[in-house]
Amino acid sequence: MKRLPFLTALLLLACPLLLHAAAEPGKPNIVFIMADDLGWADVAFHGGNAPTPTLDKLAAEGLELTHHYSAPVCSPTRTGLMTGRCWSRFGVTTPQNERALPWDTVTLPRALKSLGYETCLTGKWHLGSKPEWGPNHFGFDHSYGSLAGGVGPWDHHYKKGGFMVTWHRDEKLLTESGHVTDLIIKEACEWLAGRKKETPFFLYVPLTAVHLPVKEPEEWLKKVPAGITGAVPRQYAACIMHLDAAVGQIVAALEKNGQRGSTLVVFTSDNGGSTAENNGQAYPPDGYDSGPLTGNNKPLRNEKGSVYEGGTRVPCLLNWPGIVTPGKHDAPVQIIDWMPTFCALAGYKPAKDLKWDGVNLWPQLVEGAPPQPRTLYTVAPGFKSRALRFDPWKLVEHGSGEKAKYELYDIVADPNETKDVAAQQPDVLASMKERMHVKARADRDAVAKD
């Protein structure tokens, strides 16, 4: 038998090593897109009246998390995403302009940055509305948008008061022209195009759409279906359609840059839809149409600010071609789960216990592991209400102490919370109340310690 040429033999020896390397994927890129106040049924794939072709396609080609829960309002949800912990552990329950997190908090971007990730936020921060409390101090290499909450779409001003001027780039306040959605997406796409291609990245895009006040460009108003009538309903529909197209721009940028196959994309909302007055007095006047927003959470109960399903159960899509199998995932998950999930995917091992309340979802979402029973805990603004889900039950608590009132729902059989069965299930009620009290005590202990 003739000897193989040296190069051929070397390649044969290397093949197993090359195959092994191919089977070990590198650190994935992560894009997390969060809408603001987008309701359960505001999207077309849940029956919404405004077309959302980009999101419909991501849903059809990806995995829909049909029981994904946020906090009832914005800053708490963002706290949960950044820390993997219940927002109430930090005493954060309302939209807040004061600094939300302790300086030494190991945030999601900090964890990923320690592994070599580039990190970027374009959009709404709302975890500390002064420049010195901004995203660059909590793990983001680059940040842009609103330090405070939702802003006027054209003047980029927050509510009247000390935090009204909030538009920034890397925590330097600036003035720009253009619609807020276009500006946020332009910054995100330019960052994607200009970054180092050989390093992984985490891009967080917390849009301000569809938060009030809504005032859309004429080009989007012209595209609103004729069946949607009234000034504010048309503005709201145009805002949803504009948001959908913005998500499409990010996907297109990933494809153009050759990054789509190595990028996990997640889309969700920070809380349920709202029917608040569009032309309220909190914002500087800028020609906003008067009337209530048309946030749609049907058939879920209630809306933004509530611990009922309409306030916290939100659209959520996971999309990664070739990695994530299309379908639906019906087990309950929560915003606090994303930090443990992303950290596990990236290979991050905490140097200390970060006291995550969330769990790594990847085994159940992609690897076929059965979901484990778990308790989901939700706190409303000011601790005025709480909810606790432990399937098949959901407990709702209004007030606290001896004056607290309780409602109990079979949330699996009655997802729209139409029948309070507390009186018929005294043993279950007692057990769920004890679970609730354990969570509440953990809140008090964490806030006192921090």
Side-chain angles (χ1 to χ4, degrees):
M1 182 175 179
K2 294 182 178 180
R3 287 186 178 182
L4 291 169
F6 176 76
L7 182 58
T8 303
L10 187 62
L11 287 172
L12 286 174
L13 288 170
C15 274
L17 296 175
L18 292 172
L19 289 171
H20 177 73
E24 295 289 339
K27 299 180 179 68
N29 303 318
I30 299 167
V31 174
F32 195 94
I33 306 170
M34 182 184 288
D36 200 341
D37 294 1
L38 186 73
W40 174 259
D42 279 335
V43 291
F45 61 89
H46 285 168
N49 60 2
T52 53
T54 299
L55 295 176
D56 294 354
K57 188 172 188 289
L58 287 175
E61 298 177 354
L63 185 65
E64 180 184 357
L65 280 59
T66 61
H67 287 74
H68 180 274
Y69 290 89
S70 66
V73 289
C74 58
S75 296
T77 290
R78 294 154 211 276
T79 297
L81 174 65
M82 288 292 104
T83 66
R85 300 181 67 192
C86 290
W87 48 95
S88 47
R89 306 294 191 236
F90 301 92
V92 176
T93 66
T94 63
Q96 69 177 67
N97 294 307
E98 298 302 315
R99 178 169 56 88
L101 303 176
W103 288 116
D104 61 350
T105 303
V106 179
T107 61
L108 173 58
R110 273 180 173 159
L112 295 177
K113 190 172 178 178
S114 74
L115 298 174
Y117 275 72
E118 290 184 74
T119 57
C120 174
L121 180 157
T122 68
K124 169 181 163 179
W125 171 240
H126 217 183
L127 292 176
S129 300
K130 290 183 178 181
E132 57 266 31
W133 298 338
N136 299 67
H137 293 281
F138 289 93
F140 286 101
D141 296 315
H142 178 62
S143 66
Y144 170 83
S146 171
L147 289 167
V151 295
W154 295 98
D155 64 13
H156 318 137
H157 285 157
Y158 184 54
K159 298 176 182 179
K160 298 173 186 176
F163 301 103
M164 187 179 76
V165 178
T166 186
W167 201 250
H168 78 106
R169 179 178 283 111
D170 291 324
E171 302 178 3
K172 293 182 180 179
L173 299 176
L174 69 154
T175 300
E176 289 185 311
S177 61
H179 190 275
V180 62
T181 299
D182 296 327
L183 292 176
I184 289 171
I185 295 304
K186 180 175 181 287
E187 189 84 5
C189 292
E190 288 181 351
W191 184 83
L192 285 171
R195 53 170 300 282
K196 301 174 184 176
K197 297 297 187 291
E198 67 274 11
T199 57
F201 64 83
F202 170 56
L203 172 62
Y204 173 37
V205 187
L207 295 160
T208 62
V210 292
H211 192 287
L212 61 81
V214 291
K215 185 180 179 183
E216 286 295 306
E218 187 62 29
E219 64 177 292
W220 285 105
L221 288 168
K222 290 179 179 178
K223 297 177 182 180
V224 174
I228 301 175
T229 60
V232 174
R234 287 180 56 78
Q235 289 283 356
Y236 193 82
C239 192
I240 291 172
M241 296 163 64
H242 195 177
L243 175 154
D244 181 81
V247 175
Q249 286 183 258
I250 292 179
V251 174
L254 293 171
E255 292 171 346
K256 179 180 179 181
N257 299 333
Q259 300 162 330
R260 187 68 184 95
S262 57
T263 303
L264 169 63
V265 176
V266 179
F267 173 86
T268 192
S269 177
D270 64 347
N271 45 251
S274 170
T275 58
E277 168 61 40
N278 184 54
N279 192 19
Q281 300 303 309
Y283 288 82
D286 198 21
Y288 304 118
D289 291 313
S290 297
L293 299 180
T294 52
N296 187 356
N297 304 303
K298 294 179 180 178
L300 305 179
R301 180 176 177 178
N302 222 307
E303 61 177 273
K304 174 183 178 178
S306 165
V307 297
Y308 293 112
E309 297 290 285
T312 60
R313 187 175 161 196
V314 292
C316 185
L317 306 173
L318 187 75
N319 191 288
W320 189 359
I323 304 296
V324 174
T325 303
K328 295 181 185 294
H329 182 77
D330 298 325
V333 299
Q334 201 169 22
I335 190 71
I336 56 176
D337 295 331
W338 291 114
M339 182 172 181
T341 301
F342 295 157
C343 284
L345 278 174
Y348 176 75
K349 295 178 173 57
K352 62 179 182 179
D353 182 7
L354 298 183
K355 299 179 181 179
W356 284 335
D357 296 298
V359 301
N360 174 16
L361 297 175
W362 202 248
Q364 60 178 281
L365 296 182
V366 178
E367 298 172 359
Q372 298 300 308
R374 62 182 300 200
T375 300
L376 296 188
Y377 174 61
T378 300
V379 178
F383 293 93
K384 293 179 179 179
S385 298
R386 307 173 196 260
L388 187 141
R389 176 170 175 166
F390 184 74
D391 285 356
W393 306 108
K394 178 177 175 179
L395 181 69
V396 175
E397 175 191 76
H398 298 296
S400 60
E402 295 181 357
K403 295 183 178 180
K405 296 182 179 180
Y406 295 92
E407 301 166 13
L408 182 68
Y409 300 94
D410 183 338
I411 200 62
V412 175
D414 180 23
N416 303 327
E417 300 165 301
T418 62
K419 185 179 180 182
D420 177 7
V421 297
Q424 291 77 41
Q425 298 285 348
D427 292 341
V428 173
L429 177 63
S431 174
M432 292 291 284
K433 286 171 67 175
E434 180 53 35
R435 285 181 179 273
M436 179 78 81
H437 295 159
V438 169
K439 293 289 187 180
R441 285 195 295 271
D443 278 348
R444 291 192 293 270
D445 290 345
V447 172
K449 185 176 181 180
D450 289 343

